Amino acid sequence: MNKDMLGIIDATTVHKGLEELTIHRSVAAIPFGGRYRLIDFILSNMVNSDIQSVGIFSKYQYRSLMDHLGSGRNWDLNRKRDGLFFFPSTSFDKPVTGIGPFEDFAANIDFFKRSSQKYALVANSYTVFNMDFRTVLEEHINNDHEITEVRKDGAPLGIYLLKKDLLIDLIETRQDTGYLSMKDVVNDLNAPYKVGYFSYEGFAIMIDSINSYFEASKRLLQPEIWQRLFVKGRPILTKVKDEPPARYTSSSSVHNAMIANGCYIEGVVENSIIARGVTIGKGSVVKNSIIMQKTKIGENCYLDHVILDKDVKIADGTELMGEEGNPYVIRKGRVQGVWKN
């Protein structure tokens, strides 16, 4: 029996609650955990589930996403047969509120028809989790479901499994049925399909707002969450960057933090995630914060409950403070204070 799955990642979704982080990038490309992007989790889960062909559908600000994915080599998807396929949208109409935009799929229907896989897994690009989809497929087949929706604690995770031929039919009949996405099909109580639900018991959190992003990031600092998310044998893969190890001076102090490669730390870091290539000056204190790639923090600064996007510069003596449930966000490339080179 052909149990091969075709991976479909919907990277078209727009979340208004994430606007501060999506001015120059899509939701799928938001940095996470110091060295990853949000799309790395679903893409790695697919690869670890023996999915060898993945189509990524995007719509807005997708340049950084394309740069991150490249040929798919870091996920072993740079293949002569199957592999990674990227489909930018040709339509920029009002976004569909549901995973799996059939209009975008229809514009690339040949991709689906030429694929040899029997089943299709349609998923969002912004859920942080680690899952083996082969267990979903087994339950889908054993229960003779036509569509299986993955849920966590009874709530949908925006992940659907169905036969590829059924997906093609749903795409081609969208104007007759009125279904615009997989969510529309599953939520229609009168739909003529046998829908089942797979209950996922592991750690999972959907990133759809600044607060959910901040909360998910903080939870990475808990060892039990880290162990549930980064599972031996099912690695979360990402774009490889060759950088030197982080450097710590005698004036530095780090407690309960994640520090990526290429950082230079002279100050104090507590309960924070520091991405690649960040510098933190002498006398500065960074607490309960997320600092993204290549940001420069000067001397004698104080940052608490702050999210600094990439390439931000914080001048000497600057104080920035957010609060629980409302972190202070500075957009990519901004300069705070009078920066002296």
Side-chain angles (χ1 to χ4, degrees):
M1 178 183 294
N2 181 358
K3 293 186 179 181
D4 288 342
M5 291 181 281
L6 175 68
I8 307 296
I9 299 178
D10 176 9
T12 67
T13 309
V14 175
H15 291 304
K16 290 186 177 180
L18 285 167
E19 284 182 345
E20 293 292 325
L21 299 179
T22 55
I23 299 298
H24 303 286
R25 63 169 73 90
S26 64
V27 173
I30 293 176
F32 184 80
R35 63 188 299 263
Y36 303 97
R37 303 288 182 124
L38 289 183
I39 198 171
D40 290 338
F41 292 87
I42 181 61
L43 186 56
S44 297
N45 290 341
M46 287 183 173
V47 170
N48 293 334
S49 301
D50 289 335
I51 295 177
Q52 299 178 6
S53 183
V54 179
I56 298 175
F57 291 79
S58 64
K59 189 183 290 281
Y60 307 102
Q61 292 94 14
Y62 51 76
R63 184 194 60 80
S64 62
L65 181 60
M66 291 183 67
D67 176 69
H68 177 70
L69 296 171
S71 66
R73 179 177 60 86
N74 292 292
W75 296 267
D76 193 28
L77 289 173
N78 56 331
R79 301 165 176 263
K80 291 183 178 180
R81 182 178 180 182
D82 293 330
L84 184 70
F85 300 85
F86 196 91
F87 300 106
S89 175
T90 57
S91 171
F92 293 92
D93 296 334
K94 185 178 179 180
V96 174
T97 56
I99 301 303
F102 291 161
E103 199 65 33
D104 290 325
F105 290 177
N108 301 279
I109 195 66
D110 286 349
F111 167 70
F112 297 91
K113 292 184 175 181
R114 292 175 180 174
S115 300
S116 61
Q117 291 78 12
K118 183 175 182 179
Y119 297 92
L121 183 75
V122 182
N124 71 71
S125 62
Y126 49 84
T127 299
V128 175
F129 69 134
N130 192 322
M131 182 179 186
D132 189 341
F133 293 122
R134 290 171 293 193
T135 59
V136 183
L137 179 60
E138 290 298 325
E139 185 167 311
H140 177 84
I141 295 172
N142 292 338
N143 290 289
D144 196 27
H145 292 150
E146 291 178 280
I147 301 173
T148 295
E149 179 184 58
V150 180
R151 294 189 168 190
K152 169 69 176 175
D153 298 329
L157 283 180
I159 302 170
Y160 309 92
L161 180 66
L162 67 165
K163 285 185 177 179
K164 185 192 65 177
D165 289 345
L166 174 55
L167 177 59
I168 291 174
D169 184 64
L170 289 169
I171 296 169
E172 294 183 329
T173 61
R174 66 194 183 283
Q175 295 180 349
D176 298 325
T177 63
Y179 297 142
L180 302 179
S181 67
M182 286 302 305
K183 180 181 177 181
D184 292 343
V185 181
V186 172
N187 288 352
D188 183 4
L189 298 179
N190 297 315
Y193 306 107
K194 185 179 179 182
V195 179
Y197 306 101
F198 180 91
S199 180
Y200 175 62
E201 303 298 333
F203 173 80
I205 186 167
M206 300 177 76
I207 309 299
D208 56 9
S209 67
I210 291 295
N211 284 339
S212 62
Y213 175 78
F214 194 71
E215 176 63 24
S217 299
K218 288 195 306 179
R219 295 186 72 178
L220 287 184
L221 298 174
Q222 302 174 22
E224 63 274 18
I225 296 299
W226 177 271
Q227 292 170 7
R228 294 172 66 187
L229 187 57
F230 297 93
V231 181
K232 185 177 181 180
R234 298 207 306 270
I236 302 301
L237 306 168
T238 190
K239 182 179 180 179
V240 175
K241 292 186 178 181
D242 296 323
E243 295 188 72
R247 296 174 60 193
Y248 306 88
T249 68
S250 59
S251 62
S252 67
S253 174
V254 177
H255 176 71
N256 193 36
M258 293 170 55
I259 311 291
N261 289 353
C263 291
Y264 186 70
I265 311 297
E266 293 184 281
V268 175
V269 180
E270 296 181 3
N271 304 319
S272 298
I273 296 177
I274 312 299
R276 294 166 168 149
V278 170
T279 62
I280 299 177
K282 190 173 183 179
S284 290
V285 176
V286 177
K287 300 172 62 177
N288 310 305
S289 295
I290 302 167
I291 313 299
M292 296 189 194
Q293 189 173 345
K294 295 183 179 179
T295 286
K296 299 182 183 300
I297 299 172
E299 296 183 355
N300 302 312
C301 299
Y302 185 86
L303 281 63
D304 192 2
H305 284 88
V306 170
I307 299 175
L308 304 184
D309 207 334
K310 292 177 61 177
D311 298 313
V312 167
K313 294 181 179 179
I314 306 298
D316 294 349
T318 301
E319 292 190 7
L320 300 174
M321 287 180 284
E323 56 188 19
E324 193 71 31
N326 186 29
Y328 190 95
V329 183
I330 296 184
R331 293 180 179 178
K332 179 181 177 180
R334 295 290 179 87
V335 177
Q336 195 78 9
V338 180
W339 180 262
K340 298 179 182 179
N341 291 324

